[in-house]
Amino acid sequence: MAEAHGHDTDRQIFFYEHEFYIFSNFSSFMLYWKRKLYPTSEHAYHTEKFEDEGLKEQIRSARSAHDAIKLAHTNTDKYRSDWDDIKLNIMKEILRAKTNQHPYVQKKLLESCGKELIEDSWRDSFWGWGPNKDGKNWLGKLWMEIRDEFKNDTNAKAV
């Protein structure tokens, strides 16, 4: 059973920092994505916003997840026209790839024991719960979907 940290409860895990920081896209888990190696899942996610291969490569090779996001945000005028329609599916695929490529991520995901996963970000009301703690928490929701898929797949293999 995982130890509680910060705001964690027996029903919720807040993963912006502490033991479950691995669920953050800024955590240092390299990711093979579309036949290329990315330093973090944050890098991979932001490259998907663009069709320009040169810009995608600049983001992929950014020195940190913060630099990757900054580069993407300075080029919002070049986002794919369908970005808002596909971004949740893209993120889910990236999280699935991260889970499949890293046994430690799989282990921690299963250790979350059916608890609600919440990105404890005070800045982001879309991916996290935001400054008023009433955000959409899409990153947490997607992680819980991946956890359910992985748990069901693991159970199917064990049968």
Side-chain angles (χ1 to χ4, degrees):
M1 187 79 154
E3 182 182 338
H5 295 279
H7 299 292
D8 292 358
T9 69
D10 60 344
R11 295 183 337 236
Q12 297 174 314
I13 292 172
F14 299 87
F15 61 85
Y16 203 64
E17 295 179 345
H18 304 296
E19 180 182 357
F20 288 91
Y21 180 70
I22 54 132
F23 298 141
S24 169
N25 285 331
F26 286 70
S27 64
S28 297
F29 287 86
M30 296 183 92
L31 181 75
Y32 282 104
W33 178 252
K34 297 192 175 178
R35 299 183 180 164
K36 292 186 178 184
L37 185 62
Y38 290 81
T40 67
S41 51
E42 189 75 9
H43 286 76
Y45 175 75
H46 288 293
T47 63
E48 290 296 321
K49 294 178 176 181
F50 304 98
E51 293 176 345
D52 179 286
E53 291 300 322
L55 184 53
K56 289 173 83 151
E57 186 57 29
Q58 285 179 0
I59 294 169
R60 186 181 75 82
S61 51
R63 293 179 55 138
S64 69
H66 291 283
D67 287 349
I69 194 171
K70 185 177 174 183
L71 186 54
H73 286 171
T74 59
N75 287 282
T76 56
D77 59 320
K78 297 176 185 150
Y79 280 14
R80 298 167 51 155
S81 60
D82 62 350
W83 182 242
D84 286 333
D85 299 326
I86 65 167
K87 66 184 175 184
L88 287 173
N89 287 333
I90 295 290
M91 181 64 81
K92 188 172 183 179
E93 291 301 315
I94 288 170
L95 298 179
R96 187 179 289 121
K98 182 176 176 177
T99 303
N100 287 331
Q101 292 173 30
H102 294 283
Y104 184 70
V105 174
Q106 294 173 15
K107 176 183 180 286
K108 297 307 283 184
L109 194 57
L110 291 175
E111 280 181 10
S112 67
C113 300
K115 293 181 181 180
E116 180 180 15
L117 300 176
I118 299 170
E119 185 187 40
D120 191 15
S121 171
W122 64 94
R123 297 177 187 165
D124 192 333
S125 295
F126 183 80
W127 293 112
W129 74 342
N132 300 319
K133 299 178 178 32
D134 61 355
K136 294 180 181 173
N137 187 40
W138 274 112
L139 194 60
K141 290 175 183 176
L142 292 175
W143 270 119
M144 290 183 286
E145 288 178 22
I146 297 296
R147 178 181 61 202
D148 289 344
E149 290 174 10
F150 187 78
K151 183 178 174 186
N152 290 337
D153 188 47
T154 301
N155 288 340
K157 288 177 183 174
V159 174

